[in-house]
Amino acid sequence: MKLISQVSEVHEFIDEYRAQKNTIGLVPTMGFLHEGHISLMQRAANENDKTIVTIFVNPLQFAEGEDLSSYPQNLDKDINECEAIGVDLLFIPSSEEMYSQPILTSVQVDQLMSTIEGASRPTHFSGVATVVAKLFNIVGPCNAYFGEKDWQQLQVISTMARDLSFRVKVLGCPTVRQSDGLALSSRNAYLTPEEREAATVISRSLQVASENVQAGETSASVIKSQIVDEMTAETLATLDYVEIVEGSSLQTIDQITEGARILIAAKVGKARLIDNVNPYFGIK
Ligand code: AMP
């Protein structure tokens, strides 16, 4: 595995891969890798000749007062995990390398960025889309793997790639969970054991909602208020939002249909956690 930090080095390796007609799988991450990331990396490795993983805690996607400076890191462990999976190129740029000049350009994906998570974090998705656009340009044509865990992010990136004609196929991968349902997240590291236990309320309420939908309840307002009740009963969790939307347009819906998505954000201790489900599938 090649461990590199310069954009110019990525170009050199990519040119070589392309000359050999290799297909390329890209997995952008912020590091502190867990089984969710690993599932993306494994899929990329299975489906492509060469796998590139990036680790970059992107300052653009954090607002003032968020956890940029305390975001968990364990680079040695991450490097070992990538090596064990058979990653070919691990790109770990510094902020100076990615943003050597003050960045004047940003990517906006109208309508998809300002709702749900974007209503709570107004600058977040523009930061995400801008860094992902940079990575897509640095790597060039490839298959790029993103988790459904960050459902709205996946819609933003898929739409950006389509609208701006990136030669990148954006592929969504299922959410990996712990056995009690909690979605894996680097931010779970912030939880005390008590908070970790309490955090299961998020996936539990998504699962109960899914069972109710599957039993025939299709009113979004009824399902929403059931989730609010369940979340409110857990005193260690503070619900930020629960939204029920059409899965790709992210438009709010009144009646739950097959393409629906239920999204939740909640604060548990220091961690702000997000999760989502298609209620006709439930959490798996
Ligand atoms: P992050 O390091 O949090 O930016 O995540 C990097 C990628 O891993 C994103 O595409 C995430 O959606 C994905 N990811 C994070 N957690 C999970 C999970 N539990 N299951 C599947 N993918 C995930």
Side-chain angles (χ1 to χ4, degrees):
M1 183 176 78
K2 305 288 182 203
L3 179 57
I4 56 178
S5 60
Q6 309 289 314
V7 172
S8 59
E9 294 171 292
V10 181
H11 290 155
E12 276 168 37
F13 283 106
I14 295 279
D15 288 351
E16 200 180 302
Y17 295 162
R18 287 205 202 292
Q20 296 158 358
K21 303 229 178 309
N22 288 308
T23 57
I24 293 168
L26 170 67
V27 183
T29 80
M30 298 203 298
F32 206 68
L33 302 177
H34 52 63
E35 289 298 322
H37 298 115
I38 291 188
S39 71
L40 270 53
M41 289 155 57
Q42 259 157 356
R43 185 165 162 205
N46 287 341
E47 296 181 356
N48 299 278
D49 300 319
K50 298 288 179 188
T51 305
I52 304 181
V53 172
T54 67
I55 296 180
F56 180 57
V57 183
N58 172 36
L60 284 189
Q61 70 191 67
F62 290 79
E64 199 78 33
E66 292 186 354
D67 57 345
L68 173 63
S69 57
S70 57
Y71 197 81
Q73 271 201 344
N74 190 340
L75 273 186
D76 290 343
K77 179 167 169 286
D78 289 353
I79 292 166
N80 288 336
E81 305 254 35
C82 289
E83 186 110 55
I85 288 166
V87 169
D88 297 281
L89 211 59
L90 177 55
F91 177 48
I92 313 184
S94 63
S95 278
E96 294 71 35
E97 176 68 8
M98 288 296 273
Y99 305 117
S100 54
Q101 305 289 327
I103 184 159
L104 304 180
T105 306
S106 71
V107 178
Q108 302 295 328
V109 184
D110 289 347
Q111 288 157 51
L112 299 187
M113 281 188 169
S114 52
T115 56
I116 325 174
E117 186 73 0
S120 295
R121 305 179 72 195
T123 57
H124 173 66
F125 286 118
S126 172
V128 171
T130 304
V131 79
V132 171
K134 277 175 79 82
L135 292 171
F136 284 180
N137 278 326
I138 291 167
V139 171
C142 63
N143 295 312
Y145 297 83
F146 293 88
E148 291 183 352
K149 156 79 169 41
D150 298 280
W151 182 261
Q152 189 172 2
Q153 169 175 284
L154 177 60
Q155 306 317 310
V156 165
I157 291 167
S158 306
T159 304
M160 174 192 79
R162 184 200 67 194
D163 289 355
L164 299 183
S165 305
F166 281 101
R167 290 176 69 190
V168 174
K169 188 166 175 192
V170 175
L171 297 148
C173 305
T175 301
V176 178
R177 300 175 180 281
Q178 291 195 309
S179 55
D180 61 5
L182 180 69
L184 288 171
S185 164
S186 304
R187 291 189 167 100
N188 292 349
Y190 299 144
L191 301 169
T192 65
E194 219 189 350
E195 290 162 354
R196 163 67 188 79
E197 185 60 37
T200 57
V201 70
I202 301 170
S203 54
R204 197 167 57 247
S205 59
L206 287 173
Q207 179 57 20
V208 171
S210 301
E211 286 163 14
N212 291 340
V213 170
Q214 287 165 31
E217 179 57 75
T218 58
S219 159
S221 61
V222 170
I223 294 294
K224 218 167 148 171
S225 68
Q226 287 170 350
I227 293 175
V228 171
D229 289 348
E230 184 125 4
M231 291 292 301
T232 314
E234 175 49 74
T235 51
L236 292 182
T238 307
L239 182 63
D240 181 354
Y241 61 75
V242 48
E243 297 290 350
I244 304 182
V245 299
E246 194 287 314
S248 37
S249 68
L250 306 181
Q251 297 285 314
T252 306
I253 50 176
D254 298 328
Q255 288 298 314
I256 298 175
T257 53
E258 269 165 31
R261 209 85 201 177
I262 309 178
L263 301 96
I264 292 183
K267 195 98 195 278
V268 185
K270 284 206 274 296
R272 187 170 179 288
L273 303 176
I274 58 171
D275 201 351
N276 70 86
V277 74
N278 176 329
Y280 286 94
F281 290 94
I283 68 161
K284 293 270 166 22

